[in-house]
Amino acid sequence: MIPAPSAFSPSGDGAGHLLDAGSGIDAGPGTERVAQWLRATVGAATGLPLPPHTGDRDGIVLRLDPRESDDPEGYGLTVDRHAITLRAAAEPGLFHAAQTLRQLLGPDAFRRARVTPGRQWEVPAVTVRDAPRFRWRGLMLDVARHFMPKDGVLRYLDLMAAHKLNVLHLHLTDDQGWRVEILKYPRLTEVGAWRARTRFGHRASPLWERKPHGGFYTQDDIREIVAYAAERHVTVVPEIDVPGHSQAAIAAYPELGNTDVVDTTALSVWDDWGISPHVLAPTDTTLRFYEDVFEELLGLFPADASRFSRFVHIGGDECLKDQWAASPTAQARIRDLGLDGEDGLQAWFVGHFDTWLTARGRRLIGWDEILEGGLAKGAAVSSWRGYAGGVAAARAGHDVVMCPEQYVYLDHRQDAGAQEPVPIGYVRTLEDVYRFEPVPPELTPEEAAHVLGAQANVWTEVMEDHARVDYQAFPRLAAFAEVAWSRLPAPEQRDFAGFEERMAEHYRRLDALGVGYRPPSGPRPWQRRPGVPGRPIEGSPPNR
């Protein structure tokens, strides 16, 4: 099973349970949505109708019991000859129990339709007790650099749920594209969602895809994504990147840029990779514009009962400040506010939106650059430049999501071989990800309590379609899921050989799901990109 449960043992006399056409689901109060999911997925794969029934024999029993766990995501599962019983204190835990049952049924239970009519499905006699180590178990999808259509996002929500991941961080805006409809500012998608061409490979590549690329999610698309995620107990955290990584927005509305430094009317959505020098002007006009954007965004991503629905990500990374240094308007703002240079100006910008979001019952989270120049008290940090930002944030009392690039940036290459497609960054193997430890050892227990969890990031500059995303994400996302869910020993003591043995079965599940993962033997012929240059970095990445 992946991720490995907290406790797993044979049950009773060793006789398992057979599911057949006569088996049903006894759904106790509050378990109806999990029963519906089981019929829609397991029922479709097995061809079993799983009708409602009552009684604790011959079928699946779903129960909510507050005594089962002190964690809303914890659960218990028992299988014997009489029944398959799933218990949890809350619906999220019961849903995770249903995902565990799906794994116990075997890889064919991950198909969309049955392949063997009339088959009986035997579930082994086991007892499982389980709960996650971390609250935040995230995946960041960059849909700005290469757009992922709505169906692809829904598919990844299913893949996340199958691995007990619970936060989808959607990177919706960047220099290369704006991906969410804002009704008050239609040019954000009319202009900002499309670029004329796209560099193929790393930014040093001479190759170009000479056709327009783009797309965006309508507001109804976003509502559908959020609702689909909620049914799978995944929270969607949106990211609108400010004040850097904003060329697409400035191309749509030139007044957002530093017009006293550059002719922003000549800008288009960026067709290259890297960090654009075109950043937002620190003006009242810009603040009001983005307040309007966030106002609509909050309506699309409501704060509900889920743990992290209050969070809104504002980016804040890689903000080049050359234009601010040359801008009389920016320099006047620094003087008027008594700020400490351009870093202080970015801290003021971030602080403005922290105050604005807090007043509306939300919490700001941003990349670890938002620590520079001081950080508002309620803000949280996504620590990507190694562990240092996360350590500093936790020691200062800020909540942290650990996503250091040297471990969990899944755009980095998986092997040093010449056949690895568009090789980016350090070699980060399946084993490297499996040995990732989210909590730095130098933190005290009180400081470590600020580590909400961990997140794997998928940046898509060199991932032109879902097949490339699959290749980079899997199987490493399965290893990450176990790190985030299971209570593993110290990295050097982890049983990677045992994990590989379990992965042999898990690859069959991924096959049934249609995931184009990287095989252990290396890329398949159609997964290679011969002649497309990347940016490999040799040697081992820094530890911190």
Side-chain angles (χ1 to χ4, degrees), residues 71-75 92-93 96 130-132 134-135 137 166 307 485:
D71 188 322
E73 294 190 282
Y75 68 89
H96 296 319
D130 204 5
F134 291 108
R135 293 171 286 164
R137 304 179 304 281
N166 70 339
R307 279 174 164 171
W485 177 276

Side-chain angles (χ1 to χ4, degrees), residues 18 25 61 120 137 144 146 152 157 159 175 181 220 282 317-318 386 406 410 427 469 480 498:
L18 287 177
I25 298 178
V61 179
Q120 288 185 318
R137 304 179 304 281
H146 277 101
L157 286 167
L159 292 173
D175 299 309
E181 178 185 35
D220 280 346
D317 61 316
E318 298 177 329
Q406 66 265 45
L410 301 186
V427 173
V469 174
F480 171 80

Side-chain angles (χ1 to χ4, degrees), residues 297-322:
L297 202 74
L298 298 190
L300 300 174
F301 295 89
D304 56 25
S306 59
R307 279 174 164 171
F308 302 115
S309 61
R310 292 176 56 215
F311 280 97
V312 176
H313 208 292
I314 58 91
D317 61 316
E318 298 177 329
C319 178
L320 300 181
K321 301 178 176 66
D322 295 346

Side-chain angles (χ1 to χ4, degrees), residues 174-397:
D174 215 294
D175 299 309
Q176 297 85 1
W178 184 284
R179 305 295 179 215
V180 57
E181 178 185 35
I182 301 298
L183 298 178
K184 189 168 184 177
Y185 300 114
R187 285 176 60 83
L188 285 172
T189 46
E190 291 171 359
V191 174
W194 306 93
R195 58 179 182 263
R197 63 176 187 170
T198 300
R199 191 180 291 279
F200 196 38
H202 181 250
R203 60 181 176 270
S205 168
L207 306 175
W208 293 90
E209 183 71 35
R210 297 186 182 276
K211 66 179 182 181
H213 175 84
F216 65 93
Y217 309 112
T218 68
Q219 294 204 352
D220 280 346
D221 289 338
I222 292 292
R223 293 184 183 98
E224 181 182 355
I225 288 168
V226 170
Y228 194 86
E231 290 172 356
R232 287 146 185 80
H233 298 283
V234 177
T235 300
V236 184
V237 173
E239 180 185 351
I240 302 293
D241 211 335
V242 295
H245 287 292
S246 297
Q247 184 168 329
I250 298 169
Y253 290 92
E255 64 271 23
L256 298 174
N258 294 282
T259 57
D260 55 351
V261 177
V262 295
D263 178 12
T264 55
T265 63
L267 289 181
S268 58
V269 177
W270 209 22
D271 58 11
D272 211 346
W273 311 129
I275 307 171
S276 169
H278 298 289
V279 301
L280 297 175
T283 64
D284 291 343
T285 297
T286 300
L287 297 180
R288 300 293 88 76
F289 183 98
Y290 274 87
E291 286 173 2
D292 291 340
V293 168
F294 283 117
E295 195 73 64
E296 289 195 28
L297 202 74
L298 298 190
L300 300 174
F301 295 89
D304 56 25
S306 59
R307 279 174 164 171
F308 302 115
S309 61
R310 292 176 56 215
F311 280 97
V312 176
H313 208 292
I314 58 91
D317 61 316
E318 298 177 329
C319 178
L320 300 181
K321 301 178 176 66
D322 295 346
Q323 290 184 0
W324 286 354
S327 165
T329 301
Q331 292 303 309
R333 182 128 248 178
I334 290 172
R335 290 193 302 272
D336 292 346
L337 295 173
L339 302 175
D340 184 15
E342 288 78 32
D343 283 348
L345 187 60
Q346 179 169 349
W348 165 81
F349 200 103
V350 171
H352 174 87
F353 285 102
D354 179 72
T355 300
W356 189 92
L357 288 166
T358 299
R360 287 154 181 81
R362 300 305 185 100
R363 287 191 66 187
L364 180 148
I365 184 170
W367 303 109
D368 56 55
E369 284 96 330
I370 68 174
L371 288 164
E372 298 167 5
L375 182 58
K377 182 178 180 181
V381 171
S382 300
S383 184
W384 74 274
R385 296 180 299 176
Y387 286 92
V391 170
R395 286 176 172 168

Side-chain angles (χ1 to χ4, degrees), residues 131-142:
R133 179 186 177 192
F134 291 108
R135 293 171 286 164
W136 185 300
R137 304 179 304 281
L139 171 67
M140 192 285 299
L141 276 180
D142 169 18

